[in-house]
Amino acid sequence: NAGVTQTPKFQVLKTGQSMTLQCAQDMNHNSMYWYRQDPGMGLRLIYYSASEGTTDKGEVPNGYNVSRLNKREFSLRLESAAPSQTSVYFCASGFRANEKLFFGSGTQLSVL
Amino acid sequence: QQQVKQSPQSLIVQKGGISIINCAYENTAFDYFPWYQQFPGKGPALLIAIRPDVSEKKEGRFTISFNKSAKQFSLHIMDSQPGDSATYFCAPGETSGSRLTFGEGTQLTVNP
């Protein structure tokens, strides 16, 4: 049972490049989330999808887009990467937000 | 992010001691109060959670205490062990809502 799988684990981009972070869960969860984690700032919500077919902005959505491809998959896209987007990105899923969330192991992204 | 304030930012405890981490929140609509534990290089994982119909919940060495009037809840780790060394996040939310609000994190170090 894989849980929440994120790819890639590490990525280095140049300013202005684009990329997509992939996330898949095999627990039949309704809700999926993308967070970024920066030192001293906890986890900040970028976008979330409360159910298949819906997406909503979180605290820090600027510079990102998301796609809920199906119930299993939720991708995060950086159209034009900036150094301020250097961070560790976590995908999470759960049946509902206010029950147990399961997190992936993270993607370490550096934008030079 | 100012809605949730954790303290202390870091904590060093001797093996066998008691670790106490506090979380203060502003939103009176919050009615779900979890603590997440994160080890280096891993995603956060739910440790323990409480709902406001009780003032305390204990699971093994971990206890949540909840004070509704003060809008605070705390994590107590009894008989702290080196394996408890991790970053701890509070993440209160609304049962009817669709997302959690994470605190900034507390880095706990338990010395042998």
Side-chain angles (χ1 to χ4, degrees), chain B residues 25-98:
Chain B
Y25 61 93
E26 297 175 0
N27 189 341
T28 55
F30 286 161
D31 58 1
Y32 174 66
F33 303 95
W35 285 95
Y36 279 78
Q37 180 187 55
Q38 184 182 29
F39 294 105
K42 304 289 187 182
L46 180 65
L47 180 64
I48 187 171
I50 197 170
R51 296 194 187 270
D53 51 341
V54 295
S55 60
E56 187 173 285
K57 180 177 181 180
K58 183 176 181 179
E59 291 185 357
R61 296 184 294 107
F62 301 93
T63 300
I64 290 185
S65 297
F66 175 66
N67 186 330
K68 186 176 181 178
S69 61
K71 293 188 288 184
Q72 290 184 354
F73 62 110
S74 302
L75 175 68
H76 296 236
I77 306 174
M78 310 300 288
D79 188 25
S80 298
Q81 299 295 312
D84 297 330
S85 296
T87 302
Y88 293 81
F89 295 95
C90 63
E94 299 176 48
T95 300
S96 60
S98 54

Side-chain angles (χ1 to χ4, degrees), chain A:
Chain A
N1 192 353
V4 178
T5 303
Q6 287 183 238
T7 56
K9 291 191 183 301
F10 301 94
Q11 185 71 49
V12 178
L13 294 177
K14 294 181 180 178
T15 297
Q17 287 185 317
S18 62
M19 78 160 295
T20 299
L21 280 65
Q22 306 286 354
C23 177
Q25 52 91 8
D26 61 2
M27 296 172 281
N28 201 35
H29 287 158
N30 297 316
S31 301
M32 297 187 73
Y33 305 83
W34 277 105
Y35 289 91
R36 61 177 288 173
Q37 184 172 25
D38 303 291
M41 301 190 74
L43 287 96
R44 292 183 292 169
L45 183 64
I46 305 171
Y47 271 94
Y48 66 99
S49 171
S51 61
E52 186 179 356
T54 69
T55 60
D56 284 287
K57 295 179 180 180
E59 300 172 63
V60 289
N62 291 343
Y64 304 95
N65 284 300
V66 291
S67 296
R68 183 75 183 265
L69 304 170
N70 48 55
K71 192 169 187 180
R72 291 188 62 249
E73 298 173 287
F74 188 41
S75 63
L76 178 72
R77 183 160 179 83
L78 287 70
E79 290 291 352
S80 179
S84 61
Q85 294 178 305
T86 293
S87 188
V88 180
Y89 291 84
F90 287 100
C91 177
S93 71
F95 285 110
R96 282 182 289 277
N98 297 326
E99 292 184 1
K100 184 176 181 178
L101 289 186
F102 293 79
F103 283 80
S105 57
T107 297
Q108 177 112 36
L109 175 67
S110 295
V111 183
L112 306 178

